[in-house]
Amino acid sequence: MAPAAAPSRLQQALRDAAFAGLVTAALSFPMLAIRVESDMNNRLVLEERWPLMFAAIAFIASARFLASMLDDWRARAGAVAGVWSMLLGAGLAWFTTGAQAALAPWFLGGGALLLAAALLLFRASPQEAEPASGAAPAAASAGRFVTLAGFVALGVVVAYPLVLLGWLGPQGSLKWINNYGVQILIYVMLGWGLNIVVGLAGLLDLGYVAFYAVGAYAYALLATTFGLSFWICLPLAGILAAFWGILLGFPVLRLRGDYLALVTLAFGEIITIVLTNWVELTNGESGISSIPRVTFFGIPFTAAPDGFAATFGIAFSPIHRTIFLFYLILVLALITNVVTIRLRRLPIGRAWEALREDEIACRSLGVNTTNTKLTAFALGAMFGGLAGAFFAVRQGFINPNSFTFMESATILAIVVLGGMGSQLGVALAAVVMIGGTEILRELDFLKAVFGADFDPSQYRMLIFGFAMVAMMVWKPRGLISTREPSIFLKERRAVAGALVKEGRG
Amino acid sequence: MSRWLTDPILAVEHLSMRFGGLVAVNDVSFCVGRGDITALIGPNGAGKTTVFNCITGFYKPTQGRLAFAREGRADAAEVRALTNTGKRHARLPSGDIYLLERMPDHEIAAKARVARTFQNIRLFGGMTALENLVVAQHNALMRASGWSLLGLIGAPSWRRAEASAIEKARAWLARIGLEERADDPAAALPYGDQRRLEIARAMCSEPALLCLDEPAAGLNPRESAQLGDLLRLIRDEHATSILIIEHDMSVVMKISDHVVVLDYGALISDGTPDFVRNDPHVIAAYLGVSDAAEAEQVVAEISGEARP
Amino acid sequence: METFLQQLINGVTLGSIYGLIAIGYTMVFGIIGMVNFAHGDVFMVSTFIALIAFLALTTLLGIPSIFLALLLVMIIAMVMTSVWSWAIERIAYRPLRGSFRLAPLISAIGMSIFLMNFVQVAQGPRNKPLPPMLNEVIYLMGEPGAANAVTIAWRQIIIIAATAILLAIFWYVVQKTSLGRAQRAVEQDRKMAALLGVDVDRTVSITFVIGAMLAAVAGTLYLLQYGVVRFDDGFIPGVKAFTAAVLGGIGSIPGAVLGGLLIGLIEVMWAAYVSSDYKNVAAFSVLVVVLIFMPSGLLGRPEVEKV
């Protein structure tokens, strides 16, 4: 940066910051600064909270100012974090007393340090050159890296519950295996299932949760009404969901793009409404409870003499069931993955991808596009149904609230963020999105900063939504956007993401 | 003797296509000879691509019959009998007959074996050149993979079929000089290579009739010449007839056996390149003169100046 | 017969609100080809802004005339909601313009989740009920108190009249001004419009702002009609309004209004004659049926497949 340009840059940054502050003021003036509350007589009254508005302005304007002043992203991130920490410290010192106020110097000091470090370390450093997009050698090594990383990740996942069990014991590890292990793996499987539809065939499905619901209710109803075991119901749930996929898919698959998305969205909503209102079958909002729990191939996970613990001569612990569920969903997810990877190298898989690239060219080569789309749709639905049956057996209770549009949106976000078509990318995205929101449950320590009535959990979905936007702006093509060719003559070279089409269907 | 009259592979009869009030093709009849390179020419907006889209099933013609005799000469009475049954296809002693106007696009490609390329190249850009050529063998490979079941378990018969499909693709890549770039994405290839790759892709589906929509558009003279060689090679070494839309007259006159000329959706000339070249109607159409008598006058003036 | 007439009036009232929201969807889809998933939540934000403005004007400033208050509330809501919509486009959509097709859709869904939860955190999760306003009714048929009376409430008259007036103004802007011309140019060919000197960014921003203004009018009228707002009130009206836009033919502004009225009528009639539990199914079924059998909608231009 030439010295002569520096003052104008400062001016520009100040102008940017002032504008951002102004917009923030306009956005937060009614929504943040004034809150509508019901009083004792149940009448609405206005409660003024001006400090919140000024805090929002200060945070946003300072961040905009720093972003305009600094070029290096590390300097930006560090400086913004530092300044925000100092602002928070100032706020604590000003508005609070006691233990909260005592934290203020830490925030002020730490923030100042962070700001100084960011400015000193990164400001002077030369801008790193952006890696050229689509460079063949880089893409090729990335392809090998992806395969290797996949195997390493698989090893880590297989060892995960046992390592935790050994480290934290049955009590301590339960939460980690269940909330982080099983929960994430369900979404990995759903993501992989939807990836067939969206990532490979390029068909935008916003109602994927419908098949998840079909699978869950299929197991719940078959098990509670006819007493069928989980191992019989699991394939039935998959078949039923695939059948629904064909049934719903047949009329709609000639639609394109956003229209297909909306029809699938409508189907998803219709199924939820029917599940809520068809009380005779589904018990409506109250849902289906006491769904038979999973057994170890017939041996129940109970403390009874014929239970799992007694049979294998170990002390009873509820963790056994959780660990079994973990490996069960891992196997189901891996089946989804292996089937998808194999199908990609078969004519049907190549036809899916060709369909995503150019449907008209496909038709000119004699590909029956309706059947090709239907297989993708049905297969995706089948894996969704299997995951649904697993969900029902894990929860033991289901109701329509588990199958809202939010779920479809989350799964689609995982697929898109993962990089459409990339199996490892989808798994990574599931870990980031689901693991991330689970971690947001662990923010109780923030009560020390913001006071005892601060409830971090209500910010969970707020941050989730914002993260979706931020990740799309940061990486519109997802975490792993390169495409692995399904066959090769001499050497397998990954195709740069910019060349891969996203499909119109 | 003109082969398109004695042994036509495709007979276009009274083809009309209307879009709302617009008549894009009006009562056009012509034949495509077996083993010929037939050129469909005409000024911009003459309805050439619409005829193509009707033949390949992307449009349903408003009127007309497209009788496609894949293997042998079709008897007029047999075609009429097939038309009256309401069916799409008949197996006759002389070979299969298809009524293309009754078939959806993918069946025309898969069953009747009519392949095509597009004016604005439609390759699978994010897939490699090799993958493009393998997708073109989709239907044969689907059968070989037992509708994916044999493929999923990796049956030996499937592995052999896959290997021979790759070998066929490799041979075509070698023929168009792209073997070295087999593993590059199609969208990364230069324009001229993409044109040839699209033709090779169509050929990989083993067509009886290959329809090429302006294959020389945007090519430089060297690439145009390569294209002409490729088309002659296809005609000579494969049992494939070629129907081609082309603006580049040097290409058309050099390679084609038969030329059909459209103007404003109607047929104005049909014959050998020499015949068409000297047809006053054609010259009038290209010069933008409305009346044939006036055109003859223009032609006389031109030839008078050219050959004093 | 009386029930039918009564439901007709109720349906047109509801349909006016859907139509106003639907214009925002149809314009944005027309100009940048994306489904602005967050538009329903922008509408929801506008109902809160209107609620706050209404309470501030009546209780704090003590404006006696409810009509004047409503007019001011509507103007405040339009201005404030515009800022929201502008900021959303600037932050979540503009960086993604011209990139991957699904990225803006995911971004919009994320924005929708963000807005819903932002309002939940900032304004609390509970219903915000206002005492009913302008409840006095005019008897069109039958005696007061009779079971078969057909009535129209003052607020319904205001809703229908306000919708009609605003649509007229809006129609003038889109058809007759250079802004409308720029919009149509960008809709046809964004690159060419830019080459010819149309400021595409500005035109798109203004489209979002206009859509938000109409959504804010809808929000004010919604508050007037139902008197209760909640943080998750955006999703279902949003989807129904989008259905209306599709039914009318996406990209067509008269179509959006027509579609809105039809969806309002279908929903009200379905609830009255069939089952109120399944009234949302009616709207979604219409969406499915229209898309399958009439993808270009009632007034939309049919899409010709380019080969």
Side-chain angles (χ1 to χ4, degrees):
Chain A
M1 183 65 53
S8 82
R9 174 146 203 193
L10 178 65
Q11 279 173 354
Q12 184 60 40
L14 283 172
R15 212 172 291 146
D16 288 347
F19 185 68
L22 205 65
V23 172
T24 314
L27 292 181
S28 54
F29 159 59
M31 296 304 285
L32 212 54
I34 305 173
R35 180 176 168 128
V36 183
E37 271 300 345
S38 301
D39 67 1
M40 308 291 265
N41 309 321
N42 210 19
R43 281 182 49 219
L44 294 179
V45 290
L46 299 177
E47 181 190 308
E48 293 173 39
R49 302 181 303 179
W50 299 105
L52 266 184
M53 171 174 155
F54 291 117
I57 296 172
F59 277 90
I60 301 288
S62 62
R64 186 74 189 89
F65 175 76
L66 291 169
S68 294
M69 283 301 285
L70 302 169
D71 288 320
D72 191 285
W73 68 270
R74 292 164 301 186
R76 278 183 187 174
V80 169
V83 169
W84 281 14
S85 165
M86 284 157 72
L87 283 172
L88 190 60
L92 286 176
W94 198 284
F95 291 105
T96 64
T97 51
Q100 275 177 276
L103 289 170
W106 292 101
F107 277 102
L108 283 168
L113 273 178
L114 201 56
L115 177 66
L119 292 183
L120 288 176
L121 286 178
F122 298 118
R123 197 186 155 184
S125 75
Q127 189 76 359
E128 262 180 79
E130 286 284 311
S133 62
S141 66
R144 273 190 293 278
F145 170 75
V146 164
T147 319
L148 187 69
F151 281 104
V152 172
L154 180 62
V156 170
V157 172
V158 169
Y160 176 78
L162 301 176
V163 168
L164 276 181
L165 187 63
W167 182 27
L168 298 170
Q171 291 294 317
S173 60
L174 182 67
K175 183 183 87 179
W176 293 97
I177 297 175
N178 195 31
N179 295 6
Y180 291 88
V182 179
Q183 182 76 4
I184 291 175
L185 282 174
I186 290 181
Y187 282 93
V188 170
M189 176 165 180
L190 288 169
W192 278 342
L194 185 61
N195 194 27
I196 298 174
V197 183
V198 180
L200 294 182
L203 304 166
L204 186 48
D205 183 354
L206 275 182
Y208 191 60
V209 78
F211 307 120
Y212 189 43
V214 166
Y217 272 87
Y219 170 60
L221 290 172
L222 287 173
T224 53
T225 327
F226 302 108
L228 295 179
S229 97
F230 175 71
W231 301 103
I232 297 173
C233 291
L234 183 69
L236 285 179
I239 293 168
L240 212 62
F243 171 74
W244 273 91
I246 294 173
L247 208 69
L248 300 188
F250 198 72
V252 304
L253 283 177
R254 59 201 182 93
L255 297 173
R256 292 250 180 68
D258 299 297
Y259 285 180
L260 178 66
L262 286 159
V263 173
T264 51
L265 167 78
F267 277 142
E269 288 299 303
I270 289 174
I271 286 201
T272 316
I273 297 169
V274 170
L275 288 178
T276 312
N277 290 302
W278 194 355
V279 180
E280 298 79 30
L281 183 74
T282 65
N283 204 19
E285 287 276 3
S286 332
I288 302 174
S289 51
S290 60
I291 300 169
R293 308 305 297 261
V294 74
T295 59
F296 186 78
F297 307 104
I299 306 170
F301 288 95
T302 56
D306 60 344
F308 176 80
T311 312
F312 289 89
I314 47 175
F316 171 77
S317 162
I319 193 83
H320 296 153
R321 185 194 345 236
T322 309
I323 291 180
F324 181 69
L325 285 172
F326 179 91
Y327 284 113
L328 176 60
I329 185 66
L330 180 61
V331 168
L332 286 173
L334 286 179
I335 290 174
T336 313
N337 186 30
V338 169
V339 168
T340 310
I341 288 177
R342 300 215 83 167
L343 284 176
R344 254 202 82 206
R345 298 187 181 153
L346 291 178
I348 185 69
R350 270 193 291 270
W352 290 336
E353 292 200 80
L355 201 65
R356 179 192 66 203
E357 294 284 328
D358 194 323
E359 183 177 342
I360 286 175
C362 269
R363 277 157 37 194
S364 84
L365 295 170
V367 177
N368 184 334
T369 49
T370 314
N371 289 354
T372 308
K373 286 179 183 178
L374 268 183
T375 44
F377 216 64
L379 210 64
M382 187 186 81
F383 289 125
L386 293 178
F390 175 83
F391 176 76
V393 82
R394 174 204 183 204
Q395 302 296 104
F397 164 77
I398 51 168
N399 75 352
N401 294 340
S402 306
F403 308 104
T404 56
F405 171 70
M406 260 303 297
E407 293 297 310
S408 290
T410 307
I411 303 166
L412 182 68
I414 286 172
V415 173
V416 175
L417 177 67
M420 303 215 318
S422 162
Q423 297 290 98
L424 186 67
V426 168
L428 270 181
V431 172
V432 171
M433 300 284 281
I434 306 302
T437 45
E438 289 296 320
I439 281 182
L440 292 176
R441 288 184 201 275
E442 318 281 330
L443 296 181
D444 273 356
F445 68 91
L446 287 178
K447 285 191 178 176
V449 181
F450 294 104
D453 33 327
F454 177 79
D455 176 12
S457 68
Q458 57 173 319
Y459 294 88
R460 211 164 69 96
M461 294 316 288
L462 180 81
I463 295 172
F464 180 78
F466 187 77
M468 268 167 87
V469 176
M471 285 178 165
M472 278 299 113
V473 172
W474 173 52
K475 272 193 178 304
R477 283 179 174 273
L479 296 173
I480 300 180
S481 60
T482 56
R483 175 183 172 272
E484 284 280 293
S486 58
I487 38 165
F488 61 97
L489 211 53
K490 297 196 173 60
E491 105 183 273
R492 191 185 295 278
R493 279 193 295 253
V495 175
L499 299 177
V500 181
K501 293 218 179 68
E502 71 269 38
R504 291 176 60 216
Chain B
M1 190 60 220
S2 344
R3 203 163 10 179
W4 60 91
L5 295 178
T6 56
D7 185 13
I9 186 168
L10 172 70
V12 176
E13 295 162 273
H14 304 289
L15 179 71
S16 293
M17 182 77 213
R18 282 185 212 101
F19 298 101
L22 179 86
V23 182
V25 175
N26 189 13
D27 196 25
V28 167
S29 302
F30 65 91
C31 290
V32 177
R34 191 180 310 281
D36 277 352
I37 294 182
T38 307
L40 188 57
I41 66 169
N44 282 328
K48 306 179 297 287
T49 299
T50 308
V51 170
F52 252 49
N53 286 339
C54 290
I55 293 174
T56 49
F58 284 89
Y59 293 158
K60 212 84 291 164
T62 320
Q63 233 170 56
R65 183 166 67 187
L66 302 160
F68 185 70
R70 198 172 66 193
E71 280 97 18
R73 186 167 156 52
D75 186 58
E78 285 167 337
V79 174
R80 201 174 313 122
L82 171 61
T83 310
N84 290 336
T85 59
K87 291 190 188 139
R88 302 165 171 177
H89 166 225
R91 183 155 292 160
L92 301 175
S94 58
D96 288 331
I97 305 181
Y98 296 87
L99 295 180
L100 300 184
E101 77 279 7
R102 295 181 180 175
M103 298 168 71
D105 42 21
H106 64 90
E107 281 189 8
I108 289 180
K111 296 193 173 145
R113 302 205 162 278
V114 178
R116 70 170 291 175
T117 66
F118 297 87
Q119 203 170 335
N120 42 353
I121 308 172
R122 285 182 175 273
L123 286 167
F124 306 122
M127 303 174 85
T128 63
L130 180 70
E131 284 180 301
N132 269 275
L133 299 193
V134 175
V135 171
Q137 305 170 48
H138 175 77
N139 286 305
L141 284 177
M142 271 309 264
R143 279 188 295 276
S145 73
W147 282 269
S148 304
L149 292 178
L150 289 176
L152 270 181
I153 58 169
S157 67
W158 154 247
R159 287 179 194 279
R160 278 195 301 275
E162 190 186 32
S164 75
I166 293 176
E167 172 52 32
K168 182 178 177 184
R170 195 204 55 75
W172 270 106
L173 285 170
R175 198 167 293 175
I176 59 173
L178 287 178
E179 199 179 354
E180 285 306 306
R181 307 209 61 179
D183 298 320
D184 284 338
L189 296 175
Y191 188 80
D193 290 351
Q194 293 196 13
R195 282 268 178 222
R196 289 205 306 286
L197 182 63
E198 203 191 15
I199 297 173
R201 184 181 69 179
M203 284 307 294
C204 275
S205 67
E206 309 234 304
L209 175 65
L210 175 65
C211 301
L212 304 172
D213 197 345
E214 296 198 23
L219 299 188
N220 62 35
R222 191 177 54 82
E223 290 170 326
S224 279
Q226 281 180 341
L227 178 78
D229 294 343
L230 177 64
L231 296 186
R232 269 195 297 268
L233 179 139
I234 289 171
R235 182 189 55 183
D236 298 342
E237 294 187 7
H238 295 263
T240 301
S241 317
I242 297 176
L243 179 61
I244 178 173
I245 292 179
E246 191 44 71
H247 274 296
D248 186 338
M249 282 307 141
S250 66
V251 175
V252 170
M253 295 304 165
K254 212 184 308 167
I255 64 169
S256 48
D257 306 297
H258 173 199
V259 180
V260 176
V261 191
L262 294 184
D263 190 23
Y264 292 110
L267 185 96
I268 58 169
S269 185
D270 181 349
T272 60
D274 273 335
F275 171 78
V276 167
R277 197 196 322 244
N278 298 316
D279 187 339
H281 294 93
V282 178
I283 297 162
Y286 272 91
L287 295 178
V289 189
S290 56
D291 165 13
E294 197 183 330
E296 268 170 53
Q297 196 184 329
V298 175
V299 172
E301 281 170 22
I302 294 171
S303 42
E305 279 170 28
R307 273 179 265 141
Chain C
M1 185 59 201
E2 286 80 10
T3 324
F4 178 78
L5 281 179
Q6 184 63 61
Q7 298 307 334
L8 194 67
I9 293 170
N10 296 345
V12 170
T13 315
L14 184 62
S16 304
I17 293 174
Y18 288 156
L20 285 169
I21 310 175
I23 291 176
Y25 279 110
T26 222
M27 281 204 314
V28 167
F29 191 92
I31 201 159
I32 51 175
M34 76 170 273
V35 180
N36 179 12
F37 223 94
H39 191 60
D41 298 277
V42 169
F43 158 77
M44 177 273 297
V45 167
S46 82
T47 62
F48 271 86
I49 294 173
L51 175 67
I52 294 169
F54 182 79
L55 289 172
L57 289 175
T58 50
T59 59
L60 294 183
L61 302 180
I63 291 181
S65 157
I66 199 156
F67 288 100
L68 180 62
L70 273 176
L71 188 68
L72 288 173
V73 164
M74 198 178 279
I75 292 168
I76 293 170
M78 283 167 85
V79 173
M80 290 297 175
T81 313
S82 305
V83 181
W84 274 95
S85 192
W86 178 86
I88 290 168
E89 194 272 334
R90 185 71 192 78
I91 293 167
Y93 306 153
R94 193 181 295 178
L96 295 172
R97 201 179 301 149
S99 99
F100 206 50
R101 181 174 61 94
L102 284 183
L105 183 73
I106 299 295
S107 188
I109 292 173
M111 197 35 105
S112 159
I113 295 171
F114 173 80
L115 286 178
M116 198 192 293
N117 286 280
F118 171 77
V119 173
Q120 185 184 6
V121 169
Q123 297 291 335
R126 276 195 293 277
N127 277 341
K128 312 282 178 200
L130 268 184
M133 285 174 279
L134 299 168
N135 261 349
E136 300 81 4
V137 295
I138 299 170
Y139 284 85
L140 302 176
M141 282 171 81
E143 294 301 307
N148 60 358
V150 177
T151 63
I152 182 164
W154 271 106
R155 59 164 192 264
Q156 290 180 308
I157 296 176
I158 294 179
I159 289 171
I160 295 169
T163 305
I165 294 168
L166 275 150
L167 284 180
I169 297 171
F170 165 74
W171 186 244
Y172 175 80
V173 170
V174 171
Q175 288 296 313
K176 303 285 179 201
T177 63
S178 66
L179 165 68
R181 248 193 323 277
Q183 251 173 351
R184 275 171 287 149
V186 174
E187 201 177 314
Q188 292 287 324
D189 189 335
R190 196 188 305 158
K191 215 173 268 172
M192 198 61 217
L195 286 174
L196 292 175
V198 176
D199 186 341
V200 173
D201 280 346
R202 187 167 154 268
T203 311
V204 172
S205 282
I206 291 175
T207 306
F208 272 84
V209 163
I210 292 177
M213 283 181 163
L214 293 175
V217 174
T220 312
L221 300 178
Y222 182 88
L223 181 70
L224 177 66
Q225 170 74 3
Y226 295 100
V228 52
V229 295
R230 230 174 96 101
F231 70 95
D232 56 0
D233 267 352
F235 180 66
I236 292 285
V239 174
K240 285 184 186 157
F242 191 84
T243 306
V246 171
L247 177 61
I250 191 107
S252 155
I253 288 162
V257 179
L258 180 66
L261 289 175
L262 283 174
I263 291 289
L265 283 171
I266 290 168
E267 182 181 332
V268 164
M269 295 292 172
W270 186 281
Y273 290 102
V274 186
S275 147
S276 64
D277 282 344
Y278 285 97
K279 69 172 191 211
N280 289 343
V281 171
F284 290 122
S285 306
V286 168
L287 178 67
V288 173
V289 170
V290 168
L291 280 177
I292 292 175
F293 295 104
M294 210 171 40
S296 49
L298 294 171
L299 304 181
R301 285 184 297 267
E303 190 190 337
V304 178
E305 186 175 68
K306 281 275 208 180
V307 177

